[in-house]
PDB file of all heavy atoms in Angstrom:
ATOM      1  N   GLY S 299      14.887 -16.502 -27.891  1.00 98.00           N
ATOM      2  CA  GLY S 299      13.881 -15.717 -27.152  1.00 98.00           C
ATOM      3  C   GLY S 299      13.324 -16.502 -25.947  1.00 98.00           C
ATOM      4  O   GLY S 299      12.766 -17.594 -26.099  1.00 98.00           O
ATOM      5  N   ILE S 300      13.518 -15.923 -24.772  1.00 98.00           N
ATOM      6  CA  ILE S 300      12.941 -16.529 -23.527  1.00 98.00           C
ATOM      7  C   ILE S 300      11.742 -15.735 -23.099  1.00 98.00           C
ATOM      8  O   ILE S 300      11.799 -14.521 -22.965  1.00 98.00           O
ATOM      9  CB  ILE S 300      14.049 -16.466 -22.440  1.00 98.00           C
ATOM     10  CG1 ILE S 300      15.379 -17.043 -22.904  1.00 98.00           C
ATOM     11  CG2 ILE S 300      13.536 -17.234 -21.169  1.00 98.00           C
ATOM     12  CD1 ILE S 300      15.337 -18.449 -23.378  1.00 98.00           C
ATOM     13  N   SER S 301      10.635 -16.426 -22.908  1.00 98.00           N
ATOM     14  CA  SER S 301       9.380 -15.814 -22.444  1.00 98.00           C
ATOM     15  C   SER S 301       8.836 -16.532 -21.256  1.00 98.00           C
ATOM     16  O   SER S 301       8.663 -17.768 -21.270  1.00 98.00           O
ATOM     17  CB  SER S 301       8.397 -15.771 -23.522  1.00 98.00           C
ATOM     18  OG  SER S 301       8.813 -14.964 -24.657  1.00 98.00           O
ATOM     19  N   GLU S 302       8.550 -15.788 -20.238  1.00 98.00           N
ATOM     20  CA  GLU S 302       7.907 -16.321 -18.952  1.00 98.00           C
ATOM     21  C   GLU S 302       6.658 -15.492 -18.748  1.00 98.00           C
ATOM     22  O   GLU S 302       6.659 -14.300 -18.594  1.00 98.00           O
ATOM     23  CB  GLU S 302       8.897 -16.163 -17.770  1.00 98.00           C
ATOM     24  CG  GLU S 302      10.239 -16.879 -18.045  1.00 98.00           C
ATOM     25  CD  GLU S 302      11.186 -16.692 -16.842  1.00 98.00           C
ATOM     26  OE1 GLU S 302      11.708 -15.535 -16.650  1.00 98.00           O
ATOM     27  OE2 GLU S 302      11.444 -17.727 -16.127  1.00 98.00           O
ATOM     28  N   MET S 303       5.574 -16.269 -18.711  1.00 98.00           N
ATOM     29  CA  MET S 303       4.223 -15.643 -18.677  1.00 98.00           C
ATOM     30  C   MET S 303       3.397 -16.189 -17.467  1.00 98.00           C
ATOM     31  O   MET S 303       3.377 -17.372 -17.234  1.00 98.00           O
ATOM     32  CB  MET S 303       3.469 -15.873 -19.947  1.00 98.00           C
ATOM     33  CG  MET S 303       4.168 -15.374 -21.180  1.00 98.00           C
ATOM     34  SD  MET S 303       3.229 -15.498 -22.674  1.00 98.00           S
ATOM     35  CE  MET S 303       4.457 -15.059 -23.887  1.00 98.00           C
ATOM     36  N   TYR S 304       2.823 -15.247 -16.735  1.00 98.00           N
ATOM     37  CA  TYR S 304       2.048 -15.588 -15.496  1.00 98.00           C
ATOM     38  C   TYR S 304       0.588 -15.058 -15.681  1.00 98.00           C
ATOM     39  O   TYR S 304       0.393 -13.883 -15.837  1.00 98.00           O
ATOM     40  CB  TYR S 304       2.695 -14.927 -14.306  1.00 98.00           C
ATOM     41  CG  TYR S 304       4.134 -15.341 -14.005  1.00 98.00           C
ATOM     42  CD1 TYR S 304       5.242 -14.788 -14.654  1.00 98.00           C
ATOM     43  CD2 TYR S 304       4.339 -16.403 -13.090  1.00 98.00           C
ATOM     44  CE1 TYR S 304       6.501 -15.258 -14.382  1.00 98.00           C
ATOM     45  CE2 TYR S 304       5.657 -16.795 -12.793  1.00 98.00           C
ATOM     46  CZ  TYR S 304       6.705 -16.274 -13.452  1.00 98.00           C
ATOM     47  OH  TYR S 304       8.013 -16.649 -13.180  1.00 98.00           O
ATOM     48  N   VAL S 305      -0.336 -16.044 -15.625  1.00 98.00           N
ATOM     49  CA  VAL S 305      -1.721 -15.717 -15.706  1.00 98.00           C
ATOM     50  C   VAL S 305      -2.300 -16.046 -14.335  1.00 98.00           C
ATOM     51  O   VAL S 305      -2.480 -17.212 -13.978  1.00 98.00           O
ATOM     52  CB  VAL S 305      -2.381 -16.547 -16.861  1.00 98.00           C
ATOM     53  CG1 VAL S 305      -3.860 -16.165 -16.917  1.00 98.00           C
ATOM     54  CG2 VAL S 305      -1.707 -16.295 -18.159  1.00 98.00           C
ATOM     55  N   LYS S 306      -2.657 -14.994 -13.561  1.00 98.00           N
ATOM     56  CA  LYS S 306      -3.112 -15.176 -12.223  1.00 98.00           C
ATOM     57  C   LYS S 306      -4.626 -15.606 -12.202  1.00 98.00           C
ATOM     58  O   LYS S 306      -5.263 -15.782 -13.188  1.00 98.00           O
ATOM     59  CB  LYS S 306      -2.917 -13.832 -11.443  1.00 98.00           C
ATOM     60  CG  LYS S 306      -1.448 -13.390 -11.362  1.00 98.00           C
ATOM     61  CD  LYS S 306      -0.623 -14.397 -10.614  1.00 98.00           C
ATOM     62  CE  LYS S 306       0.812 -13.847 -10.377  1.00 98.00           C
ATOM     63  NZ  LYS S 306       0.906 -12.675  -9.455  1.00 98.00           N
ATOM     64  N   LYS S 307      -5.092 -15.716 -10.960  1.00 98.00           N
ATOM     65  CA  LYS S 307      -6.491 -16.274 -10.748  1.00 98.00           C
ATOM     66  C   LYS S 307      -7.548 -15.466 -11.521  1.00 98.00           C
ATOM     67  O   LYS S 307      -7.605 -14.249 -11.446  1.00 98.00           O
ATOM     68  CB  LYS S 307      -6.793 -16.191  -9.229  1.00 98.00           C
ATOM     69  CG  LYS S 307      -8.156 -16.713  -8.845  1.00 98.00           C
ATOM     70  CD  LYS S 307      -8.342 -16.660  -7.329  1.00 98.00           C
ATOM     71  CE  LYS S 307      -9.723 -17.154  -6.932  1.00 98.00           C
ATOM     72  NZ  LYS S 307      -9.922 -17.066  -5.449  1.00 98.00           N
ATOM     73  N   GLY S 308      -8.303 -16.149 -12.328  1.00 98.00           N
ATOM     74  CA  GLY S 308      -9.377 -15.546 -13.099  1.00 98.00           C
ATOM     75  C   GLY S 308      -8.933 -14.598 -14.152  1.00 98.00           C
ATOM     76  O   GLY S 308      -9.773 -13.898 -14.790  1.00 98.00           O
ATOM     77  N   ALA S 309      -7.666 -14.605 -14.543  1.00 98.00           N
ATOM     78  CA  ALA S 309      -7.142 -13.690 -15.544  1.00 98.00           C
ATOM     79  C   ALA S 309      -7.147 -14.335 -16.972  1.00 98.00           C
ATOM     80  O   ALA S 309      -7.276 -15.600 -17.089  1.00 98.00           O
ATOM     81  CB  ALA S 309      -5.729 -13.271 -15.184  1.00 98.00           C
ATOM     82  N   THR S 310      -6.979 -13.567 -17.960  1.00 98.00           N
ATOM     83  CA  THR S 310      -6.989 -14.037 -19.363  1.00 98.00           C
ATOM     84  C   THR S 310      -5.842 -13.413 -20.131  1.00 98.00           C
ATOM     85  O   THR S 310      -5.629 -12.160 -20.113  1.00 98.00           O
ATOM     86  CB  THR S 310      -8.289 -13.710 -20.098  1.00 98.00           C
ATOM     87  OG1 THR S 310      -9.420 -14.319 -19.400  1.00 98.00           O
ATOM     88  CG2 THR S 310      -8.294 -14.188 -21.522  1.00 98.00           C
ATOM     89  N   LEU S 311      -5.084 -14.179 -20.842  1.00 97.00           N
ATOM     90  CA  LEU S 311      -4.052 -13.742 -21.753  1.00 97.00           C
ATOM     91  C   LEU S 311      -4.223 -14.393 -23.121  1.00 97.00           C
ATOM     92  O   LEU S 311      -4.214 -15.650 -23.225  1.00 97.00           O
ATOM     93  CB  LEU S 311      -2.660 -14.131 -21.195  1.00 97.00           C
ATOM     94  CG  LEU S 311      -1.452 -13.780 -22.061  1.00 97.00           C
ATOM     95  CD1 LEU S 311      -1.404 -12.330 -22.470  1.00 97.00           C
ATOM     96  CD2 LEU S 311      -0.140 -14.233 -21.340  1.00 97.00           C
ATOM     97  N   ASN S 312      -4.394 -13.515 -24.112  1.00 95.00           N
ATOM     98  CA  ASN S 312      -4.405 -13.971 -25.504  1.00 95.00           C
ATOM     99  C   ASN S 312      -3.118 -13.503 -26.197  1.00 95.00           C
ATOM    100  O   ASN S 312      -2.803 -12.292 -26.210  1.00 95.00           O
ATOM    101  CB  ASN S 312      -5.553 -13.331 -26.276  1.00 95.00           C
ATOM    102  CG  ASN S 312      -6.937 -13.901 -25.801  1.00 95.00           C
ATOM    103  OD1 ASN S 312      -7.173 -15.016 -25.839  1.00 95.00           O
ATOM    104  ND2 ASN S 312      -7.784 -12.952 -25.243  1.00 95.00           N
ATOM    105  N   PHE S 313      -2.351 -14.415 -26.657  1.00 95.00           N
ATOM    106  CA  PHE S 313      -1.028 -14.184 -27.175  1.00 95.00           C
ATOM    107  C   PHE S 313      -0.846 -14.675 -28.595  1.00 95.00           C
ATOM    108  O   PHE S 313      -1.076 -15.914 -28.825  1.00 95.00           O
ATOM    109  CB  PHE S 313       0.042 -14.849 -26.264  1.00 95.00           C
ATOM    110  CG  PHE S 313       1.430 -14.578 -26.692  1.00 95.00           C
ATOM    111  CD1 PHE S 313       2.080 -13.396 -26.373  1.00 95.00           C
ATOM    112  CD2 PHE S 313       2.181 -15.587 -27.327  1.00 95.00           C
ATOM    113  CE1 PHE S 313       3.406 -13.193 -26.781  1.00 95.00           C
ATOM    114  CE2 PHE S 313       3.490 -15.388 -27.716  1.00 95.00           C
ATOM    115  CZ  PHE S 313       4.125 -14.144 -27.427  1.00 95.00           C
ATOM    116  N   THR S 314      -0.561 -13.752 -29.516  1.00 92.00           N
ATOM    117  CA  THR S 314      -0.351 -14.192 -30.938  1.00 92.00           C
ATOM    118  C   THR S 314       1.074 -13.829 -31.348  1.00 92.00           C
ATOM    119  O   THR S 314       1.494 -12.719 -31.155  1.00 92.00           O
ATOM    120  CB  THR S 314      -1.381 -13.434 -31.811  1.00 92.00           C
ATOM    121  OG1 THR S 314      -2.719 -13.829 -31.472  1.00 92.00           O
ATOM    122  CG2 THR S 314      -1.127 -13.774 -33.285  1.00 92.00           C
ATOM    123  N   MET S 315       1.735 -14.834 -31.906  1.00 94.00           N
ATOM    124  CA  MET S 315       3.101 -14.628 -32.372  1.00 94.00           C
ATOM    125  C   MET S 315       3.222 -14.966 -33.849  1.00 94.00           C
ATOM    126  O   MET S 315       2.731 -15.996 -34.312  1.00 94.00           O
ATOM    127  CB  MET S 315       4.086 -15.511 -31.603  1.00 94.00           C
ATOM    128  CG  MET S 315       5.550 -15.456 -32.163  1.00 94.00           C
ATOM    129  SD  MET S 315       6.667 -16.454 -31.139  1.00 94.00           S
ATOM    130  CE  MET S 315       6.935 -15.360 -29.737  1.00 94.00           C
ATOM    131  N   ILE S 316       3.798 -13.996 -34.629  1.00 93.00           N
ATOM    132  CA  ILE S 316       3.922 -14.181 -36.110  1.00 93.00           C
ATOM    133  C   ILE S 316       5.386 -14.171 -36.405  1.00 93.00           C
ATOM    134  O   ILE S 316       6.085 -13.244 -36.081  1.00 93.00           O
ATOM    135  CB  ILE S 316       3.164 -13.135 -36.857  1.00 93.00           C
ATOM    136  CG1 ILE S 316       1.686 -13.087 -36.556  1.00 93.00           C
ATOM    137  CG2 ILE S 316       3.392 -13.291 -38.361  1.00 93.00           C
ATOM    138  CD1 ILE S 316       1.238 -11.985 -35.676  1.00 93.00           C
ATOM    139  N   HIS S 317       5.873 -15.239 -37.040  1.00 95.00           N
ATOM    140  CA  HIS S 317       7.281 -15.279 -37.434  1.00 95.00           C
ATOM    141  C   HIS S 317       7.400 -15.081 -38.965  1.00 95.00           C
ATOM    142  O   HIS S 317       6.607 -15.663 -39.737  1.00 95.00           O
ATOM    143  CB  HIS S 317       7.850 -16.679 -37.123  1.00 95.00           C
ATOM    144  CG  HIS S 317       8.296 -16.855 -35.746  1.00 95.00           C
ATOM    145  ND1 HIS S 317       8.978 -17.961 -35.265  1.00 95.00           N
ATOM    146  CD2 HIS S 317       8.247 -15.976 -34.698  1.00 95.00           C
ATOM    147  CE1 HIS S 317       9.231 -17.753 -33.997  1.00 95.00           C
ATOM    148  NE2 HIS S 317       8.825 -16.656 -33.601  1.00 95.00           N
ATOM    149  N   ASN S 318       8.326 -14.220 -39.364  1.00 94.00           N
ATOM    150  CA  ASN S 318       8.589 -13.986 -40.789  1.00 94.00           C
ATOM    151  C   ASN S 318      10.069 -13.666 -40.860  1.00 94.00           C
ATOM    152  O   ASN S 318      10.497 -12.483 -40.916  1.00 94.00           O
ATOM    153  CB  ASN S 318       7.771 -12.808 -41.327  1.00 94.00           C
ATOM    154  CG  ASN S 318       7.934 -12.593 -42.818  1.00 94.00           C
ATOM    155  OD1 ASN S 318       8.634 -13.388 -43.494  1.00 94.00           O
ATOM    156  ND2 ASN S 318       7.340 -11.603 -43.343  1.00 94.00           N
ATOM    157  N   TRP S 319      10.949 -14.717 -40.919  1.00 96.00           N
ATOM    158  CA  TRP S 319      12.367 -14.558 -40.857  1.00 96.00           C
ATOM    159  C   TRP S 319      12.981 -14.552 -42.261  1.00 96.00           C
ATOM    160  O   TRP S 319      12.482 -13.965 -43.149  1.00 96.00           O
ATOM    161  CB  TRP S 319      12.938 -15.649 -39.934  1.00 96.00           C
ATOM    162  CG  TRP S 319      12.475 -15.573 -38.524  1.00 96.00           C
ATOM    163  CD1 TRP S 319      11.578 -16.402 -37.915  1.00 96.00           C
ATOM    164  CD2 TRP S 319      12.901 -14.669 -37.501  1.00 96.00           C
ATOM    165  NE1 TRP S 319      11.430 -16.017 -36.583  1.00 96.00           N
ATOM    166  CE2 TRP S 319      12.278 -14.973 -36.316  1.00 96.00           C
ATOM    167  CE3 TRP S 319      13.869 -13.643 -37.485  1.00 96.00           C
ATOM    168  CZ2 TRP S 319      12.433 -14.293 -35.126  1.00 96.00           C
ATOM    169  CZ3 TRP S 319      14.025 -12.893 -36.309  1.00 96.00           C
ATOM    170  CH2 TRP S 319      13.348 -13.244 -35.140  1.00 96.00           C
ATOM    171  N   ALA S 320      14.113 -15.219 -42.374  1.00 93.00           N
ATOM    172  CA  ALA S 320      14.800 -15.323 -43.693  1.00 93.00           C
ATOM    173  C   ALA S 320      15.336 -16.757 -43.756  1.00 93.00           C
ATOM    174  O   ALA S 320      15.424 -17.524 -42.765  1.00 93.00           O
ATOM    175  CB  ALA S 320      15.901 -14.319 -43.787  1.00 93.00           C
ATOM    176  N   GLU S 321      15.789 -17.131 -44.958  1.00 94.00           N
ATOM    177  CA  GLU S 321      16.059 -18.522 -45.290  1.00 94.00           C
ATOM    178  C   GLU S 321      17.251 -19.161 -44.518  1.00 94.00           C
ATOM    179  O   GLU S 321      17.331 -20.344 -44.386  1.00 94.00           O
ATOM    180  CB  GLU S 321      16.331 -18.671 -46.774  1.00 94.00           C
ATOM    181  CG  GLU S 321      15.085 -18.376 -47.607  1.00 94.00           C
ATOM    182  CD  GLU S 321      15.277 -18.595 -49.098  1.00 94.00           C
ATOM    183  OE1 GLU S 321      16.391 -19.142 -49.433  1.00 94.00           O
ATOM    184  OE2 GLU S 321      14.404 -18.284 -49.924  1.00 94.00           O
ATOM    185  N   GLN S 322      18.066 -18.352 -43.969  1.00 96.00           N
ATOM    186  CA  GLN S 322      19.263 -18.897 -43.176  1.00 96.00           C
ATOM    187  C   GLN S 322      19.277 -18.467 -41.721  1.00 96.00           C
ATOM    188  O   GLN S 322      20.299 -18.309 -41.104  1.00 96.00           O
ATOM    189  CB  GLN S 322      20.554 -18.489 -43.846  1.00 96.00           C
ATOM    190  CG  GLN S 322      20.756 -19.223 -45.166  1.00 96.00           C
ATOM    191  CD  GLN S 322      20.764 -20.708 -45.056  1.00 96.00           C
ATOM    192  OE1 GLN S 322      21.363 -21.263 -44.147  1.00 96.00           O
ATOM    193  NE2 GLN S 322      20.129 -21.400 -45.950  1.00 96.00           N
ATOM    194  N   ILE S 323      18.093 -18.190 -41.176  1.00 98.00           N
ATOM    195  CA  ILE S 323      17.977 -17.752 -39.771  1.00 98.00           C
ATOM    196  C   ILE S 323      17.501 -19.001 -38.880  1.00 98.00           C
ATOM    197  O   ILE S 323      16.589 -19.697 -39.227  1.00 98.00           O
ATOM    198  CB  ILE S 323      17.003 -16.609 -39.577  1.00 98.00           C
ATOM    199  CG1 ILE S 323      17.686 -15.346 -40.244  1.00 98.00           C
ATOM    200  CG2 ILE S 323      16.713 -16.331 -38.101  1.00 98.00           C
ATOM    201  CD1 ILE S 323      16.851 -14.117 -40.187  1.00 98.00           C
ATOM    202  N   GLY S 324      18.201 -19.137 -37.744  1.00 98.00           N
ATOM    203  CA  GLY S 324      17.820 -20.147 -36.749  1.00 98.00           C
ATOM    204  C   GLY S 324      17.019 -19.499 -35.675  1.00 98.00           C
ATOM    205  O   GLY S 324      17.372 -18.401 -35.225  1.00 98.00           O
ATOM    206  N   VAL S 325      15.940 -20.150 -35.239  1.00 98.00           N
ATOM    207  CA  VAL S 325      15.045 -19.589 -34.242  1.00 98.00           C
ATOM    208  C   VAL S 325      14.819 -20.594 -33.076  1.00 98.00           C
ATOM    209  O   VAL S 325      14.416 -21.687 -33.302  1.00 98.00           O
ATOM    210  CB  VAL S 325      13.737 -19.242 -34.884  1.00 98.00           C
ATOM    211  CG1 VAL S 325      12.780 -18.500 -33.943  1.00 98.00           C
ATOM    212  CG2 VAL S 325      13.889 -18.364 -36.131  1.00 98.00           C
ATOM    213  N   ARG S 326      15.134 -20.114 -31.878  1.00 98.00           N
ATOM    214  CA  ARG S 326      15.054 -20.947 -30.703  1.00 98.00           C
ATOM    215  C   ARG S 326      14.271 -20.255 -29.545  1.00 98.00           C
ATOM    216  O   ARG S 326      14.880 -19.864 -28.610  1.00 98.00           O
ATOM    217  CB  ARG S 326      16.451 -21.422 -30.289  1.00 98.00           C
ATOM    218  CG  ARG S 326      17.212 -22.257 -31.232  1.00 98.00           C
ATOM    219  CD  ARG S 326      16.523 -23.589 -31.409  1.00 98.00           C
ATOM    220  NE  ARG S 326      17.224 -24.515 -32.334  1.00 98.00           N
ATOM    221  CZ  ARG S 326      16.908 -24.704 -33.646  1.00 98.00           C
ATOM    222  NH1 ARG S 326      15.967 -23.931 -34.120  1.00 98.00           N
ATOM    223  NH2 ARG S 326      17.501 -25.516 -34.410  1.00 98.00           N
ATOM    224  N   PRO S 327      12.974 -20.191 -29.606  1.00 97.00           N
ATOM    225  CA  PRO S 327      12.163 -19.615 -28.505  1.00 97.00           C
ATOM    226  C   PRO S 327      12.099 -20.684 -27.425  1.00 97.00           C
ATOM    227  O   PRO S 327      12.076 -21.899 -27.623  1.00 97.00           O
ATOM    228  CB  PRO S 327      10.820 -19.417 -29.102  1.00 97.00           C
ATOM    229  CG  PRO S 327      10.987 -19.590 -30.580  1.00 97.00           C
ATOM    230  CD  PRO S 327      12.148 -20.529 -30.792  1.00 97.00           C
ATOM    231  N   ARG S 328      12.065 -20.177 -26.170  1.00 98.00           N
ATOM    232  CA  ARG S 328      11.856 -21.057 -24.978  1.00 98.00           C
ATOM    233  C   ARG S 328      10.810 -20.358 -24.101  1.00 98.00           C
ATOM    234  O   ARG S 328      11.020 -19.281 -23.521  1.00 98.00           O
ATOM    235  CB  ARG S 328      13.201 -21.234 -24.227  1.00 98.00           C
ATOM    236  CG  ARG S 328      14.301 -21.912 -25.074  1.00 98.00           C
ATOM    237  CD  ARG S 328      13.954 -23.321 -25.366  1.00 98.00           C
ATOM    238  NE  ARG S 328      15.029 -24.045 -26.090  1.00 98.00           N
ATOM    239  CZ  ARG S 328      14.979 -24.275 -27.413  1.00 98.00           C
ATOM    240  NH1 ARG S 328      13.935 -23.875 -28.071  1.00 98.00           N
ATOM    241  NH2 ARG S 328      15.937 -24.966 -27.985  1.00 98.00           N
ATOM    242  N   THR S 329       9.623 -20.991 -24.017  1.00 98.00           N
ATOM    243  CA  THR S 329       8.486 -20.287 -23.378  1.00 98.00           C
ATOM    244  C   THR S 329       7.824 -21.232 -22.385  1.00 98.00           C
ATOM    245  O   THR S 329       7.525 -22.431 -22.698  1.00 98.00           O
ATOM    246  CB  THR S 329       7.446 -19.849 -24.498  1.00 98.00           C
ATOM    247  OG1 THR S 329       8.101 -19.064 -25.444  1.00 98.00           O
ATOM    248  CG2 THR S 329       6.317 -19.146 -23.866  1.00 98.00           C
ATOM    249  N   VAL S 330       7.514 -20.660 -21.205  1.00 98.00           N
ATOM    250  CA  VAL S 330       6.702 -21.355 -20.172  1.00 98.00           C
ATOM    251  C   VAL S 330       5.654 -20.476 -19.660  1.00 98.00           C
ATOM    252  O   VAL S 330       5.937 -19.281 -19.395  1.00 98.00           O
ATOM    253  CB  VAL S 330       7.638 -21.963 -19.049  1.00 98.00           C
ATOM    254  CG1 VAL S 330       6.743 -22.706 -18.062  1.00 98.00           C
ATOM    255  CG2 VAL S 330       8.740 -22.879 -19.611  1.00 98.00           C
ATOM    256  N   ILE S 331       4.490 -20.997 -19.525  1.00 98.00           N
ATOM    257  CA  ILE S 331       3.382 -20.183 -19.016  1.00 98.00           C
ATOM    258  C   ILE S 331       2.776 -20.836 -17.791  1.00 98.00           C
ATOM    259  O   ILE S 331       2.553 -22.065 -17.742  1.00 98.00           O
ATOM    260  CB  ILE S 331       2.244 -20.041 -20.102  1.00 98.00           C
ATOM    261  CG1 ILE S 331       2.840 -19.444 -21.379  1.00 98.00           C
ATOM    262  CG2 ILE S 331       1.092 -19.191 -19.592  1.00 98.00           C
ATOM    263  CD1 ILE S 331       3.211 -20.459 -22.416  1.00 98.00           C
ATOM    264  N   LYS S 332       2.456 -20.080 -16.745  1.00 98.00           N
ATOM    265  CA  LYS S 332       1.871 -20.585 -15.534  1.00 98.00           C
ATOM    266  C   LYS S 332       0.449 -19.996 -15.454  1.00 98.00           C
ATOM    267  O   LYS S 332       0.298 -18.787 -15.435  1.00 98.00           O
ATOM    268  CB  LYS S 332       2.676 -20.232 -14.317  1.00 98.00           C
ATOM    269  CG  LYS S 332       2.056 -20.697 -12.981  1.00 98.00           C
ATOM    270  CD  LYS S 332       2.883 -20.248 -11.794  1.00 98.00           C
ATOM    271  CE  LYS S 332       2.209 -20.645 -10.513  1.00 98.00           C
ATOM    272  NZ  LYS S 332       3.045 -20.193  -9.271  1.00 98.00           N
ATOM    273  N   VAL S 333      -0.557 -20.885 -15.347  1.00 98.00           N
ATOM    274  CA  VAL S 333      -1.957 -20.409 -15.313  1.00 98.00           C
ATOM    275  C   VAL S 333      -2.565 -20.837 -13.959  1.00 98.00           C
ATOM    276  O   VAL S 333      -2.580 -22.016 -13.681  1.00 98.00           O
ATOM    277  CB  VAL S 333      -2.770 -20.982 -16.483  1.00 98.00           C
ATOM    278  CG1 VAL S 333      -4.187 -20.360 -16.460  1.00 98.00           C
ATOM    279  CG2 VAL S 333      -2.113 -20.725 -17.828  1.00 98.00           C
ATOM    280  N   GLU S 334      -3.016 -19.848 -13.225  1.00 98.00           N
ATOM    281  CA  GLU S 334      -3.599 -20.125 -11.932  1.00 98.00           C
ATOM    282  C   GLU S 334      -5.120 -20.384 -11.966  1.00 98.00           C
ATOM    283  O   GLU S 334      -5.665 -20.438 -13.053  1.00 98.00           O
ATOM    284  CB  GLU S 334      -3.311 -18.978 -10.960  1.00 98.00           C
ATOM    285  CG  GLU S 334      -1.814 -18.789 -10.681  1.00 98.00           C
ATOM    286  CD  GLU S 334      -1.480 -17.681  -9.701  1.00 98.00           C
ATOM    287  OE1 GLU S 334      -2.444 -17.121  -9.109  1.00 98.00           O
ATOM    288  OE2 GLU S 334      -0.321 -17.375  -9.483  1.00 98.00           O
ATOM    289  N   GLU S 335      -5.747 -20.602 -10.855  1.00 98.00           N
ATOM    290  CA  GLU S 335      -7.133 -20.958 -10.713  1.00 98.00           C
ATOM    291  C   GLU S 335      -8.048 -20.137 -11.610  1.00 98.00           C
ATOM    292  O   GLU S 335      -8.079 -18.870 -11.517  1.00 98.00           O
ATOM    293  CB  GLU S 335      -7.583 -20.849  -9.256  1.00 98.00           C
ATOM    294  CG  GLU S 335      -9.037 -21.234  -9.042  1.00 98.00           C
ATOM    295  CD  GLU S 335      -9.444 -21.008  -7.586  1.00 98.00           C
ATOM    296  OE1 GLU S 335      -8.560 -20.851  -6.683  1.00 98.00           O
ATOM    297  OE2 GLU S 335     -10.646 -21.052  -7.317  1.00 98.00           O
ATOM    298  N   GLY S 336      -8.872 -20.775 -12.457  1.00 98.00           N
ATOM    299  CA  GLY S 336      -9.796 -20.056 -13.267  1.00 98.00           C
ATOM    300  C   GLY S 336      -9.196 -19.192 -14.377  1.00 98.00           C
ATOM    301  O   GLY S 336      -9.959 -18.476 -15.045  1.00 98.00           O
ATOM    302  N   GLY S 337      -7.928 -19.244 -14.546  1.00 98.00           N
ATOM    303  CA  GLY S 337      -7.232 -18.447 -15.583  1.00 98.00           C
ATOM    304  C   GLY S 337      -7.337 -19.076 -17.002  1.00 98.00           C
ATOM    305  O   GLY S 337      -7.589 -20.306 -17.107  1.00 98.00           O
TER     306      GLY S 337
END
């Protein structure tokens, strides 16, 4: 899972992630967030 998130000037992002997989599943998220002035 690739996630790219942009929080601009004075903005707010609340992000909740819940994982509930299975015993033989591999999980490789790759996430980068950019937060600007006052964000």
Side-chain angles (χ1 to χ4, degrees):
I300 309 302
S301 296
E302 301 180 288
M303 303 185 186
Y304 297 84
V305 182
K306 300 295 186 69
K307 182 178 179 180
T310 299
L311 174 57
N312 292 301
F313 181 78
T314 296
M315 175 178 282
I316 301 104
H317 278 186
N318 185 4
W319 296 103
E321 293 184 8
Q322 290 301 316
I323 290 179
V325 185
R326 294 294 181 265
R328 300 291 182 258
T329 303
V330 180
I331 305 96
K332 178 182 177 181
V333 186
E334 296 183 6
E335 179 183 348

